[in-house]
Amino acid sequence: TQLLEQSPQFLSIQEGENLTVYCNSSSVFSSLQWYRQEPGEGPVLLVTVVTGGEVKKLKRLTFQFGDARKDSSLHITAAQPGDTGLYLCAGEADYNQGGKLIFGQGTELSVKP
Amino acid sequence: DAGVIQSPRHEVTEMGQEVTLRCKPISGHNSLFWYRQTMMRGLELLIYFNNNVPIDDSGMPEDRFSAKMPNASFSTLKIQPSEPRDSAVYFCASRKRQTNTGELFFGEGSRLTVL
């Protein structure tokens, strides 16, 4: 059974601070996605990483896929109150096996002004 | 373009009643996923379909849960009989399965409360 473990589960920081969220597994994934979810809505895709060691940047957000494609991280620089939300990582098993997409538990981020 | 449409948005029912949740995926998408979200367990994959065919239903909790996808534009998730522990937000999501980078598009969810 493939599992994705996210840490920390909860994070409360002040505006302007930096933070990192981790997503770890003992399984190899063909790709890994990061989503953000607002209250009362479904998750929305932020980024997809595919290649081991890949780094992608989205404004103040930096995403990295581990070399072995078993882990990923999300780093936010100078967090703002608008970054508040639930961040979810999602891993896809071997695409040729059907495209199963499983999610981590999520990291609830609160950025205080 | 319309996104993934789920109904009902909210349902409150009593233990033992049958519950049917509905989903209309985005037109042209050929993969559909049903997830359940709770505070304790996060977003759990229940079942997913490719081209209307169920691929993996290992996440379905027990025989009380069943899902169908009779055509490319409609899917249902049924719980019979419902129990209080089924209370959760149920999400339907769809995507175009062409490569392993396909974005999942989620509906707004169906919040189920079983009393």
Side-chain angles (χ1 to χ4, degrees):
Chain A
T1 304
Q2 292 180 307
L3 289 173
L4 272 170
E5 294 185 1
Q6 268 187 254
S7 62
Q9 252 188 293
F10 301 95
L11 196 52
S12 181
I13 61 173
Q14 293 295 129
E15 182 176 1
E17 292 184 14
N18 303 331
L19 67 113
T20 302
V21 176
Y22 299 94
C23 180
N24 295 296
S25 176
S26 58
S27 303
V28 175
F29 292 98
S30 63
S31 67
L32 199 133
Q33 299 177 335
W34 285 91
Y35 289 78
R36 181 179 162 195
Q37 185 178 17
E38 303 271 6
E41 299 178 7
V44 176
L45 181 71
L46 293 173
V47 78
T48 301
V49 285
V50 178
T51 307
E54 182 176 3
V55 177
K56 280 192 174 179
K57 292 192 175 184
L58 190 67
K59 297 182 181 178
R60 293 175 295 99
L61 278 61
T62 302
F63 305 84
Q64 184 161 8
F65 202 11
D67 292 340
R69 290 185 288 128
K70 292 183 179 182
D71 55 85
S72 182
S73 63
L74 156 60
H75 182 79
I76 302 179
T77 302
Q80 299 177 0
D83 296 327
T84 294
L86 179 66
Y87 290 82
L88 296 152
C89 63
E92 177 159 8
D94 185 349
Y95 172 77
N96 293 320
Q97 291 182 4
K100 184 174 184 176
L101 203 67
I102 61 169
F103 281 80
Q105 282 273 75
T107 295
E108 187 76 55
L109 173 64
S110 173
V111 183
K112 301 185 188 318
Chain B
D1 287 341
V4 175
I5 299 173
Q6 290 188 246
S7 65
R9 287 296 312 278
H10 302 274
E11 173 126 2
V12 180
T13 190
E14 293 188 346
M15 183 173 64
Q17 296 298 303
E18 178 179 295
V19 173
T20 299
L21 308 179
R22 297 173 177 80
C23 175
K24 178 178 168 56
I26 293 172
S27 176
H29 284 189
N30 56 359
S31 283
L32 184 142
F33 296 71
W34 281 101
Y35 290 91
R36 175 172 70 174
Q37 188 173 39
T38 61
M39 284 291 292
M40 290 296 295
R41 300 172 71 91
L43 200 58
E44 300 175 273
L45 176 63
L46 300 176
I47 184 172
Y48 73 102
F49 299 81
N50 287 341
N51 299 312
N52 313 339
V53 176
I55 303 300
D56 188 331
D57 65 354
S58 59
M60 296 285 260
E62 48 200 88
D63 291 345
R64 298 184 296 106
F65 285 68
S66 62
K68 293 183 180 179
M69 191 164 186
N71 56 62
S73 59
F74 184 66
S75 178
T76 60
L77 178 67
K78 188 174 291 188
I79 308 172
Q80 166 64 18
S82 58
E83 297 182 2
R85 59 186 167 137
D86 302 331
S87 297
V89 181
Y90 290 80
F91 284 101
C92 174
S94 71
R95 69 173 179 178
K96 185 175 288 188
R97 184 172 179 268
Q98 291 177 324
T99 68
N100 64 348
T101 59
E103 174 181 359
L104 263 186
F105 291 84
F106 282 80
E108 292 185 304
S110 293
R111 181 175 292 276
L112 173 65
T113 302
V114 183
L115 303 174

